[in-house]
Each structure stands twice: as structure tokens, then as C-alpha cells.
Amino acid sequence: MLNISSNKISDKVNQTSYSSLEKVESRKSGKWVKRLITIFFLLILISMFLPWTQNIRSKGEVTALKPEHRPQSIQSIIAGRIEKWFVMEGDYVKKGDTIMFVSEIKDEYFDPDLLDRTRAQLNAKEQAVGSYREKVKALDNRIAALLETNQLKLQQARNKAQQAKLKVESDSMDYQAAIINYEIAEEQYARILGLYEEGLKSLTDLENRRLSMRKEEAEMISAQNKLLTSQNEVINAEVELSSIQAQYRDAVAKAESDKYTTLTGLYESEAEITKLENQYTNYSVRQGMYYITAPTNGYITQAIQSGIGETLKEGDQIVSIMPADYQLAVEMYVRPLDLPLLQKGQDVRIQFDGWPAIVFSGWPEQSYGTYGGEIFAIDRFITKNGRYRVLVAPDPEEAQWPEALRLGAGTSNMVLLKNVPVWYELWRNINGFPPDFYAPAKENNTDKK
């Protein structure tokens, strides 16, 4: 069998005659490699226990913090035709500056004297209302006069009825007296008749007594007739009293009916006045809308409508304007998985597109070129892209954001969470676990007594 251990080149070749081979055989680099590898692994092991700041990475863009500071478009409130432009794209305008003049395209507003004619109609209706009010006053006076006359007539009729009743009582007493006189005369005639039959009285006496009895009978019948006449007058007085009441009740009812008819016309005229006033105000406001003005201080960014003579509809966009004064913010979108880890006031590190930066994900303190922010608002509903929108405002305790920033610029954002060891972060990422739930400590600013 071949002995491999004895098959060495050093046994057959003299190494001293070859300097290169002697240097290679005598090298000690293997020891240094072992030391370097050992040191490298020791450094890795030590770095596993270094602190690592967990974070949530997200893309976003620069926006304005308040809605009224974001880019907006100016719409035409009325339909019209473009007649003249007063601005160009890129111009700075102040609030109330005229941007465009439009003319009317609806035929119901073509009349140049529309306001004057509407005012004339309004004045005529106001005069009609005044006439109605005067008529109502006249009818009120008439009703008051009728009621007063009615009271006087009723009092007069009541007095007359009272007089008739008193006359009935007087005639009734006269009638009772006439009956008594007739009865006395009848008894006297009967006694005289007895005496005449006995021959004690003459025929002349008998006839005189009979004549007296007939007179008393006639007076009794006359008193009875007067009594019946007085009773009839009482009935007539009561009928007249009822007639007066009915007559004046009808007169007052008719006057009140005329009054309510007049009030109906008055209320209709007042409603028409209100309608005309509303119409007049609308016409006046509409004429002021022919000049489209800037709602705020800002810059004209784009003319959506152009040319002269083009027609606009209500609500058509004319130009877009960017407010001059605004407070910057960043809107970023996070996954639903990361949403429970976010809270208002949480720190965020932001890298703006176009600004150089050196970013260490786990060591934000060692990064350069990033800017500080804090979570200002978190949406409560998901967007169409399946993520939640988070609004980040500048951190007042950090350096100010660059002045050259413009709305719409892209950003890379890191929401800072809990500090953990590096080995734990590696283990978490290998297993696909989310970052730890972390609630930032709130500073207690309450003054102690």
C-alpha cells in the first residue's frame, strides 16, 4: 500500500534554494484571520445587545395643516359667459381682488332695469298694503260705531218695554177698580130693584141706578180694552228689542266679514312684498356675482377655463389658487396592522424629497438631514388604497422645516416607537411579529403647590 504521509515535497526538494517557497511556508497569516473572525463575531454579539428604536416606515407627501390653507379651486356661482380676465397664472392676488368678469346668459335676467322695475313693483305692493291697513282701521271704526249704536238702541228699546210693562200694571189696576165699581153698581141696582118692587123706590130711581150700572160696565170694558192694548204694546216692545239685536248683529257680522276679507288681501300683499324683497335681494346679489373675486390671499396656479366668450355653468371650476399663508404638514398612510400603535403627539422623523439625509433606521438620534414631527390627527375611516391617513404637524421643539418646501413634495417617514435590543428586533422580523405596543409617556405640566 502507498504511504501518503511520506509523500511530501519537503522530503524531496531543498527549500533553502527557493526563497519564495521558503516565505510561503513560513507565513503566519492564518492566526490573524482567526483573530479577525473572532473579533468580528464578538462585535456582532455585542451589537446584538445595543438599543434599537422600533419604527413604522411610511411614504407620504407635504400638505397644509388646515383645510382652508390647501390648494382650492374657484367656482362660478352663476351661469355666465367669460368677458374679461384680470389675472394671469402665477399672479399674486389679495382677498377680494377681481379675477374675471362674466356676463349674463339667462333671458330672465337680460333686462338692464331689472332692479328698478322690481323696486317699483315692491313700492306698489307696499302702497297696497297701506290701503288695506287703512280700510281695516275704517272697518274697525265702523264696527265700534255699530256696537255703540246697538247699545243705545237696545237701551232705548228696553226703556220703552219697561214703560209698556209699567202701563200694563197701571191699566191692570184701573181695570180691577172698574170691575169693583161695576160690581158695586150692580149690587146697588139689585137693591133698588127690590125696593122698587116693594113700592119703596120710584121708577126714576130704578132707571138712574140702571144707567149708573151701565156706565160702570162701560168703564170696566174700556179699562179692560186699555189693559189689552198695554199688554200688546209690551209684546211689540219685546219684538222690537229682538229685531234691533238681530239687525245690528247682522250689520256687525257683515262689517267683520269685510274686515277679514280686507285682512286676507293685506296678508297676501305682505307675502307678495316678502317675495318681491327676496327677489330684489337675489337680483342685487346676482349682479354682484358677475365679478369673480379671490376668496383669500394666494397665487393663481392654473386657469381651468380659458378664452373669451366661453360659457360657464353653475359650479364650473375657473381657476385654482394656492393660499399664500399656510402651515405645512405631512400626510402619510399606514397599514391597518400598524394603526393601533399610533397615538396623537407621537414623534415622527421625516425625510423630504430633495433634501440629502443619512438615515439610520434604528438609531434616529444618529441620523442626519431628517426633521421632527408629531402626529396631529388620525383618520377614523380607511381610504380607498386600504390604508389609514395620518396627519403629521411640525414638532415645535425641533428645527424648523425647510422654507423651500412646497405642497405635494414626497416624504419618507418613520414613526418612533419603543427601544428594544437589536437581537429582539431581528427575532421579531424573522417571525413576522408587529412592533410592540407602545404608549409614549406624557409630561406632567401641572404646577405643584
Side-chain angles (χ1 to χ4, degrees):
M1 181 179 290
L2 180 63
N3 188 3
I4 299 177
S5 60
S6 61
N7 190 12
K8 297 181 180 180
I9 192 173
S10 59
D11 297 335
K12 299 179 180 181
V13 178
N14 186 7
Q15 298 179 8
T16 57
S17 58
Y18 301 96
S19 59
S20 298
L21 181 61
E22 185 179 4
K23 291 179 180 181
V24 169
E25 290 294 335
S26 62
R27 72 184 186 279
K28 299 180 181 180
S29 59
K31 297 179 181 180
W32 288 104
V33 171
K34 292 179 183 178
R35 291 176 182 177
L36 289 175
I37 292 174
T38 303
I39 293 172
F40 177 73
F41 278 105
L42 286 175
L43 290 176
I44 291 178
L45 183 62
I46 293 172
S47 66
M48 289 293 106
F49 294 92
L50 292 177
W52 180 276
T53 302
Q54 292 181 329
N55 56 77
I56 298 173
R57 303 295 293 267
S58 173
K59 293 290 184 181
E61 62 180 14
V62 179
T63 184
L65 185 63
K66 297 181 179 181
E68 63 267 22
H69 293 164
R70 295 170 188 169
Q72 54 188 289
S73 59
I74 302 176
Q75 292 87 16
S76 175
I77 302 178
I78 62 174
R81 181 176 61 186
I82 299 176
E83 295 292 342
K84 187 176 181 181
W85 283 89
F86 294 92
V87 295
M88 297 176 60
E89 293 179 343
D91 287 350
Y92 174 78
V93 293
K94 296 182 179 180
K95 182 178 181 180
D97 286 353
T98 304
I99 296 176
M100 176 192 296
F101 173 72
V102 297
S103 60
E104 193 61 69
I105 61 173
K106 291 188 176 181
D107 53 357
E108 58 264 31
Y109 304 109
F110 282 165
D111 187 1
D113 299 328
L114 184 60
L115 284 178
D116 296 336
R117 300 183 196 279
T118 306
R119 171 55 66 183
Q121 294 177 7
L122 185 59
N123 293 335
K125 280 296 178 183
E126 289 177 349
Q127 293 177 1
V129 167
S131 300
Y132 278 124
R133 288 175 178 169
E134 293 299 326
K135 187 175 180 180
V136 169
K137 291 180 181 179
L139 288 172
D140 285 336
N141 295 333
R142 181 181 177 187
I143 291 171
L146 286 174
L147 292 175
E148 185 177 357
T149 307
N150 184 27
Q151 293 297 325
L152 295 176
K153 287 287 186 181
L154 287 176
Q155 188 63 35
Q156 184 180 8
R158 290 192 187 99
N159 294 337
K160 189 175 180 181
Q162 187 66 25
Q163 290 176 356
K165 290 178 182 178
L166 294 175
K167 189 176 180 182
V168 167
E169 293 180 359
S170 176
D171 291 344
S172 177
M173 288 186 291
D174 291 343
Y175 176 62
Q176 293 296 328
I179 292 174
I180 294 172
N181 291 332
Y182 173 71
E183 290 176 351
I184 293 173
E186 191 177 13
E187 290 178 358
Q188 289 177 353
Y189 173 76
R191 284 196 298 270
I192 294 295
L193 180 60
L195 292 175
Y196 171 75
E197 291 177 351
E198 293 177 358
L200 297 176
K201 287 292 183 179
S202 64
L203 181 60
T204 303
D205 293 334
L206 179 62
E207 290 176 352
N208 289 333
R209 187 54 58 188
R210 184 185 298 155
L211 179 61
S212 298
M213 184 184 68
R214 295 304 177 191
K215 287 181 180 180
E216 295 297 333
E217 184 180 4
E219 289 179 1
M220 181 186 67
I221 294 172
S222 176
Q224 185 180 9
N225 188 25
K226 288 181 180 181
L227 177 60
L228 294 174
T229 303
S230 300
Q231 290 176 348
N232 192 27
E233 289 178 356
V234 170
I235 296 172
N236 292 336
E238 292 177 351
V239 170
E240 185 180 1
L241 183 62
S242 301
S243 176
I244 291 173
Q245 290 178 342
Q247 178 184 356
Y248 280 93
R249 187 162 48 245
D250 292 342
V252 171
K254 183 179 179 181
E256 288 181 347
S257 176
D258 294 340
K259 174 185 174 181
Y260 292 135
T261 303
T262 306
L263 286 175
T264 302
L266 172 63
Y267 297 147
E268 290 177 353
S269 298
E270 288 179 345
E272 291 180 3
I273 285 177
T274 304
K275 183 178 179 181
L276 286 173
E277 287 177 346
N278 185 19
Q279 192 173 5
Y280 181 83
T281 304
N282 291 338
Y283 291 161
S284 177
V285 173
R286 186 180 181 88
Q287 289 189 354
M289 293 178 180
Y290 295 154
Y291 291 91
I292 299 174
T293 59
T296 183
N297 300 337
Y299 295 90
I300 302 297
T301 57
Q302 182 184 4
I304 302 173
Q305 303 289 340
S306 60
I308 300 296
E310 291 189 6
T311 58
L312 305 172
K313 296 180 180 179
E314 295 90 343
D316 281 355
Q317 296 182 356
I318 301 174
V319 295
S320 59
I321 184 172
M322 176 62 203
D325 300 326
Y326 53 87
Q327 184 178 355
L328 291 176
V330 170
E331 59 177 7
M332 63 180 186
Y333 295 88
V334 299
R335 300 175 301 170
L337 180 66
D338 299 328
L339 183 66
L341 304 175
L342 304 182
Q343 294 182 0
K344 291 181 65 175
Q346 207 160 354
D347 292 333
V348 182
R349 301 304 302 179
I350 305 169
Q351 178 186 356
F352 298 106
D353 290 353
W355 273 261
I358 301 175
V359 180
F360 295 96
S361 177
W363 298 287
E365 296 84 0
Q366 307 303 322
S367 299
Y368 175 81
T370 61
Y371 293 87
E374 58 183 12
I375 296 178
F376 181 79
I378 304 173
D379 281 355
R380 296 182 177 271
F381 59 93
I382 200 166
T383 57
K384 293 181 180 180
N385 60 4
R387 300 197 172 197
Y388 287 90
R389 189 178 72 102
V390 178
L391 199 62
V392 180
D395 191 345
E397 298 179 359
E398 295 280 346
Q400 292 185 357
W401 291 3
E403 295 182 359
L405 273 179
R406 293 293 182 268
L407 270 67
T411 61
S412 297
N413 313 292
M414 289 188 304
V415 182
L416 305 183
L417 301 175
K418 187 178 180 180
N419 290 329
V420 296
V422 174
W423 66 264
Y424 178 82
E425 184 68 12
L426 290 174
W427 173 82
R428 181 187 70 79
N429 282 279
I430 292 172
N431 290 275
F433 294 157
D436 295 352
F437 180 78
Y438 171 64
K442 296 181 180 179
E443 296 183 359
N444 187 9
N445 296 327
T446 10
D447 296 332
K448 295 183 179 179
K449 295 185 180 180

